[in-house]
Amino acid sequence: MGRIYNYLVAVASAMGGFLFGYEIGVIDQVLIMDSFGLEFGLKYNHSVNGTLVKTPNSADISGWITFTFLVGCVVGAALTSILADRIGRRYSIFVGSVLFMIGGAMQTGASHIAVLYVGRIISGMGVGLMSAVVPLYISETAKTDVRGTLISTYQLMITFGILIASCINAAILSTLTGDVEWRLALGMQMVPAAILWGLIIILPFSPRWLVDRGREEEALQSLAKLRSAPADSEAVRTEFASIKESALHEKKIGSVTWLELCKAGIRNRVAIGVVLQCFQQWTGINVILYYAAELFKDMGFSSAHAGVTFVIANAAINFVATFPGMWLVERIGRKLLMIIGGFLMGGAHMLICLFLGLSHETPGLSWAAMVFVYVFTISFASTWGPVVWVYQSEIFPMRVRAKGTACCTMSNWIWNAIIAKITPIMLTSITFYTYIVFGSFGIIMAIFVWIFVPETKGKSLEDMDDIFGHVPGEPVDDIRQKSIRDSVIAMDSLKNKPVLH
Ligand code: BGC
């Protein structure tokens, strides 16, 4: 019962993930709409066999439409490093949703390609900012034993956004024609952004950020509200004391600069977070999501099935399979889940490749290839999909948390852009052997996690230094002893003050 408010806060902020998912789910279908192609010069106004002919600039324009968004995402993720500390996590989520709304409105109303590109960059900035700050915010508000599950709601909402976008697109494609078709598909993204604005009202400030800013009374009240317990209860007092202890320790080390990310005890966390996000992209999830329709068509399925039925089925599987991941992350832990996921996805890619190859001789084997596409999606959704976001949001100490998670999130978007660029080239040059490349990454990432990635399940954010190493500064024992004393004194003085509601 006491956890309901905490869950609500996580789900509300995770709406930021829904916007992310909707945006990536909607654009693929919009790019193939005839009305959109005619408006922005991707298609000529004459058809061969009932299909409009593509202009020579078609690939370039659609490439730029994808690329401008990803550039915005990288910039937005970088912005997190400044905004999340200065204005706080809660207002940063708000800024992200405002940017998303402005970008969405520009894309919906665009009559010139330049307006569309600028709209894509601005929406991307909103998505990039929220993709770093939402998991970070959830990690700072969640109770330790459910932190992994709650951060995973962010991934759940991404997959929900992709699913809803695919369904809306399918409905629009089968009922509407003309301009309204693509404008409605793009315009719909403003609805969840408006819902997020409304939900921000129920989001409390992160207690850890408040302590860092010296707003201790507010921090205590926020923590008590999140834990649905009185501010002077034993549990809230102990957790608050530990947050404060950590903040005091971090203040002693001095002011925060980017160079801090290179210090012993921090650089290992940055390296692990950045590599995990790079690997998350090399799982090939976006290749499966973006190219699923074409892949199914190549397998010999009809366009209607390939473009709509199978794509929606894949999006639905991606959503549903996130639930076991949310449960497992707190049962078997982050490390084992990533190891299992790496091997499963690696194996699935290899089998997709094998059956695609064999299906040239025996067409019936296309079905087997399709089954392994779904096996891959299930494996991603229940392992690396949620876990990487969980991991990057929990490993950094408060003073560099915003900068650290910004770096990891930038790695996610940069690799997303690189893979989007090189996949079509790989698919044309080495065809279905592309899946061997992604499959090999699955195996490599499992081994990497096995050797280099420590388990963080069940540890509080304040305990992470014990796992990754302490930042050089004052002797840890002296600081601990003194700050614990300070915390207890502070708690006692707060206890005597009237409780704010
Ligand atoms: C990844 C995205 C991907 C999405 C699909 C996220 O965790 O970072 O690149 O499109 O999952 O579910």
Side-chain angles (χ1 to χ4, degrees):
M1 182 65 195
R3 293 192 167 165
I4 289 182
Y5 180 68
N6 204 169
Y7 273 84
L8 260 178
V9 166
V11 173
S13 50
M15 273 302 286
F18 184 91
L19 304 184
F20 172 171
Y22 190 90
E23 181 66 55
I24 55 177
V26 78
I27 197 66
D28 274 357
Q29 304 283 331
V30 167
L31 282 175
I32 54 169
M33 289 177 182
D34 286 344
S35 50
F36 182 83
L38 289 172
E39 178 84 36
F40 295 110
L42 285 93
K43 289 183 180 169
Y44 289 120
N45 200 3
H46 68 88
S47 60
V48 173
N49 297 334
T51 312
L52 289 189
V53 179
K54 286 185 182 170
T55 65
N57 294 336
S58 176
D60 260 8
I61 299 173
S62 45
W64 276 107
I65 291 174
T66 312
F67 189 68
T68 41
F69 176 72
L70 293 173
V71 168
C73 290
V74 176
V75 176
L79 270 180
T80 309
S81 61
I82 304 165
L83 288 184
D85 279 341
R86 296 245 170 102
I87 62 171
R89 285 61 166 136
R90 186 180 179 225
Y91 290 144
S92 299
I93 298 176
F94 180 67
V95 172
S97 61
V98 171
L99 287 170
F100 188 85
M101 188 71 119
I102 298 172
M106 287 179 75
Q107 291 182 61
T108 310
S111 308
H112 191 282
I113 191 81
V115 180
L116 188 78
Y117 289 154
V118 176
R120 300 279 301 155
I121 293 179
I122 298 177
S123 291
M125 285 167 68
V127 168
L129 175 58
M130 284 186 288
S131 64
V133 84
V134 169
L136 182 157
Y137 171 79
I138 302 177
S139 79
E140 290 184 351
T141 49
K143 217 163 167 268
T144 302
D145 60 342
V146 286
R147 189 179 61 231
T149 303
L150 290 188
I151 303 175
S152 304
T153 55
Y154 169 71
Q155 174 70 14
L156 184 73
M157 294 301 270
I158 297 178
T159 58
F160 191 47
I162 299 175
L163 175 62
I164 296 296
S166 320
C167 296
I168 290 182
N169 272 333
I172 290 177
L173 276 167
S174 60
T175 50
L176 301 172
T177 46
D179 252 24
V180 69
E181 202 182 31
W182 65 268
R183 290 196 197 274
L184 186 66
L186 291 176
M188 289 294 285
Q189 59 187 298
M190 288 185 279
V191 177
I195 296 176
L196 180 56
W197 283 2
L199 289 174
I200 284 171
I201 297 167
I202 69 155
L203 299 183
F205 287 104
S206 153
R208 286 171 166 93
W209 178 76
L210 287 170
V211 167
D212 190 60
R213 298 269 124 177
R215 292 158 61 177
E216 286 170 21
E217 280 193 32
E218 281 176 77
L220 182 66
Q221 296 315 316
S222 170
L223 190 65
K225 202 169 165 203
L226 280 161
R227 301 291 170 261
S228 304
D232 57 0
S233 65
E234 182 67 25
V236 172
R237 274 171 57 95
T238 314
E239 193 177 349
F240 184 78
S242 151
I243 295 174
K244 207 172 155 247
E245 176 206 340
S246 192
L248 280 168
H249 171 60
E250 293 191 5
K251 286 247 153 65
K252 292 265 163 53
I253 301 172
S255 62
V256 191
T257 64
W258 279 96
L259 278 180
E260 181 115 356
L261 295 181
C262 306
K263 282 190 180 166
I266 301 291
R267 60 174 177 244
N268 50 341
R269 309 184 210 206
V270 178
I272 292 176
V274 164
V275 172
L276 289 183
Q277 282 289 15
C278 159
F279 279 154
Q280 199 222 34
Q281 290 303 308
W282 275 105
T283 58
I285 179 62
N286 291 317
V287 176
I288 295 290
L289 288 179
Y290 295 152
Y291 296 97
E294 272 175 49
L295 179 65
F296 291 141
K297 251 190 246 169
D298 290 348
M299 289 176 187
F301 296 106
S302 74
S303 290
H305 274 133
V308 182
T309 322
F310 296 148
V311 170
I312 293 185
N314 202 31
I317 289 174
N318 193 16
F319 170 65
V320 174
T322 308
F323 286 99
M326 293 171 70
W327 185 77
L328 285 169
V329 73
E330 296 300 1
R331 300 300 175 296
I332 65 171
R334 289 69 163 142
K335 184 176 173 114
L336 188 55
L337 207 49
M338 284 194 274
I339 296 174
I340 295 173
F343 284 125
L344 282 178
M345 288 184 289
H349 273 305
M350 306 278 183
L351 290 167
I352 294 172
C353 177
L354 176 73
F355 287 115
L356 279 180
L358 293 176
S359 69
H360 290 143
E361 310 273 298
T362 322
L365 287 173
S366 299
W367 278 98
M370 195 178 76
V371 167
F372 284 103
V373 166
Y374 292 142
V375 169
F376 166 84
T377 306
I378 295 172
S379 312
F380 174 85
S382 51
T383 62
W384 281 71
V387 177
V388 175
W389 295 107
V390 171
Y391 205 81
Q392 76 160 30
S393 317
E394 62 188 11
I395 54 177
F396 293 104
M398 179 67 201
R399 49 194 272 108
V400 291
R401 193 168 292 142
K403 289 188 171 56
T405 46
C407 285
C408 303
T409 311
M410 280 161 70
S411 160
N412 175 293
W413 289 112
I414 290 171
W415 283 105
N416 189 329
I418 295 174
I419 292 170
K421 202 84 200 141
I422 62 177
T423 304
I425 304 170
M426 287 206 283
L427 285 172
T428 338
S429 54
I430 54 170
T431 65
F432 57 85
Y433 292 110
T434 305
Y435 296 94
I436 293 272
V437 176
F438 288 106
S440 315
F441 269 100
I443 313 296
I444 295 171
M445 63 185 76
I447 297 171
F448 173 85
V449 173
W450 198 340
I451 301 175
F452 296 109
V453 177
E455 181 53 81
T456 50
K457 172 177 88 95
K459 296 279 179 191
S460 80
L461 296 185
E462 286 66 36
D463 284 342
M464 294 296 164
D465 284 357
D466 299 337
I467 301 178
F468 292 94
H470 290 265
V471 183
E474 291 188 34
V476 175
D477 285 346
D478 290 358
I479 290 172
R480 285 243 155 134
Q481 277 167 16
K482 181 174 179 310
S483 56
I484 287 171
R485 254 195 337 266
D486 287 352
S487 302
V488 173
I489 295 166
M491 290 303 311
D492 287 341
S493 66
L494 283 171
K495 211 179 144 195
N496 297 329
K497 290 195 177 155
V499 175
L500 306 171
H501 285 291

